[in-house]
């Protein structure tokens, strides 16, 4: 007997997709507001740090639009050409954001070095600081909503967007410090030095976002803690024996899992099917946005002798005697 049983849950997926879209739309609205006020402040202050903050917000706007497109495509149901769905569109949107962040960091760093060499002072510190405070308040509100959405959906595109706005907080604080030190403490190098610091911060954020997006695109296994929790829950079903060839991955807001289990060769297809359905219902109750594929092997069957990736019994790793 050699059976496959699969079950797909769509309701939580639709809800998660709606949350991801709401976060992307909120991001676009905040980005438009920040670009408008920072453009005015950049003209008034002649600050490299403020210019860097403006450039970051402008790129945030473009990236947020890309995020919206990414989560919208990712939410589309599976079709004949994309049987696993469109979840990786989120990772592609995240990589687009990473490229924009890197370009922004390079431009800000170049401008900061240029100002260090040529000199120059800022002006209108009060206006610049006031705009930065308003930007911080707006950004904090958006970050709170994004954190909620990320906890509920695990969206990699929203996570990358979240990194943008975390850096925006740092940018605004840096602008306040640069303007205050330049105008009130007479430290003229503060503005370009903070500009360089902002560029480095953006590059670090780009690296972190790229790492997560690449993990999704390359079908990296779940983190050890999540994978272990899955096996522990499966091990609570005494009908299952020798869980092996466990494979896990995440695409967008959706998880995909498959594994093999041994069952008595004399068991009927109907009996095995009933057991697997009960197992699936339980596991999907703990991982509601998951597509699960279980392959049944006759007891004692060996698919690939010597291949530990395939034949290792995950239950034995738990010290469970089946």
């Amino acid at each position: 007997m050699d059976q496959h049983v699969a079950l797909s849950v769509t309701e939580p997926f639709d809800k998660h997709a709606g949350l991801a879209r709401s976060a992307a739309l909120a991001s676009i609205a905040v980005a438009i507001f920040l670009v408008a006020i920072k453009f005015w402040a950049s003209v008034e202050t002649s600050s490299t740090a403020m210019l860097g903050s403006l450039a970051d917000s402008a790129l945030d706007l473009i990236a947020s639009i890309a995020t919206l497109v990414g989560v919208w495509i990712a939410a589309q149901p599976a079709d004949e050409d994309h049987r696993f769905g469109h979840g990786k569109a989120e990772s592609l949107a995240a990589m687009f954001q990473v490229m924009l962040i890197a370009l922004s960091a390079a431009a800000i760093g170049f401008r900061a070095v240029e100002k260090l060499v040529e000199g120059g002072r800022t002006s209108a510190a009060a206006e610049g600081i006031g705009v930065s405070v308003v930007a911080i308040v707006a950004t904090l509100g958006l970050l709170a909503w994004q954190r909620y959405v990320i906890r509920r959906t695990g969206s990699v595109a929203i996570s990358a967007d979240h990194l943008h706005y975390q850096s925006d907080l740092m940018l605004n604080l840096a602008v306040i410090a640069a303007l205050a030190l330049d105008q009130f403490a007479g430290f003229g190098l503060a503005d370009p030095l903070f500009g360089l610091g902002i560029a480095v911060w953006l590059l670090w954020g780009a690296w972190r976002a790229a790492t997560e997006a690449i993990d999704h695109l390359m079908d990296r296994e779940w983190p050890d803690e999540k994978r272990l929790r899955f096996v522990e829950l499966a091990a609570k079903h005494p009908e299952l024996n020798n869980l092996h060839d466990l494979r896990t991955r995440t695409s967008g807001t959706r998880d995909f899992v498959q594994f093999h289990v041994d069952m008595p060769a004399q068991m009927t297809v109907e009996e095995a099917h009933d057991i697997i359905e009960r197992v699936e219902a339980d596991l999907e109750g703990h991982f509601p946005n998951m597509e699960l594929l279980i392959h049944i092997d006759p007891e004692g069957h060996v698919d690939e002798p010597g291949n530990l990736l395939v034949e290792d019994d995950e239950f034995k790793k738990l010290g469970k005697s089946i």
Side-chain angles (χ1 to χ4, degrees), residues 35 38 42 49-62 100 104-105 107-108 168 171 202:
V35 166
K38 288 180 182 181
S42 295
M50 179 61 80
L51 182 64
S53 187
L54 169 63
D56 180 65
S57 292
L59 288 174
D60 279 348
L61 175 57
I62 298 171
L100 290 178
S104 175
I108 294 165
D168 204 52
L171 287 169
L202 287 174

Side-chain angles (χ1 to χ4, degrees), residues 192-245:
L193 287 176
F194 272 97
L196 282 174
I198 289 168
V200 172
W201 172 262
L202 287 174
L203 287 174
W204 172 242
W207 171 258
R208 289 194 297 164
T211 299
E212 184 177 2
I214 290 171
D215 282 348
H216 280 226
L217 290 170
M218 294 294 293
D219 291 334
R220 186 181 179 89
E221 285 287 316
W222 284 357
D224 290 341
E225 299 80 6
K226 184 176 179 181
R227 204 170 187 273
L228 177 61
R229 179 169 172 259
F230 181 90
V231 175
E232 288 174 341
L233 290 168
K236 292 181 179 179
H237 295 272
E239 309 95 327
L240 301 184
N241 183 36
N242 186 24
L243 190 154
H244 58 285
D245 200 9

Side-chain angles (χ1 to χ4, degrees), residues 111-247:
R111 175 60 183 148
V113 171
E114 187 178 54
K115 196 166 184 179
L116 277 172
V117 173
E118 296 178 357
R121 302 295 296 274
T122 62
S123 59
E127 288 86 345
I129 291 172
V131 164
S132 296
V133 169
V134 172
I136 286 172
V137 172
T139 303
L140 284 172
L142 176 63
L143 287 173
W145 178 243
Q146 286 180 329
R147 279 193 297 271
Y148 171 78
V149 172
I150 292 167
R151 282 197 305 269
R152 294 290 300 275
T153 68
S155 169
V156 67
I158 300 301
S159 294
D161 210 35
H162 187 69
L163 279 174
H164 279 173
Y165 286 96
Q166 282 182 323
S167 69
D168 204 52
L169 276 183
M170 299 298 296
L171 287 169
N172 288 307
L173 291 171
V175 169
I176 292 172
L179 289 172
L181 288 171
D182 188 359
Q183 292 289 298
F184 306 134
F187 183 46
L189 293 179
D191 184 57
L193 287 176
F194 272 97
L196 282 174
I198 289 168
V200 172
W201 172 262
L202 287 174
L203 287 174
W204 172 242
W207 171 258
R208 289 194 297 164
T211 299
E212 184 177 2
I214 290 171
D215 282 348
H216 280 226
L217 290 170
M218 294 294 293
D219 291 334
R220 186 181 179 89
E221 285 287 316
W222 284 357
D224 290 341
E225 299 80 6
K226 184 176 179 181
R227 204 170 187 273
L228 177 61
R229 179 169 172 259
F230 181 90
V231 175
E232 288 174 341
L233 290 168
K236 292 181 179 179
H237 295 272
E239 309 95 327
L240 301 184
N241 183 36
N242 186 24
L243 190 154
H244 58 285
D245 200 9
L246 172 62
R247 305 183 190 191

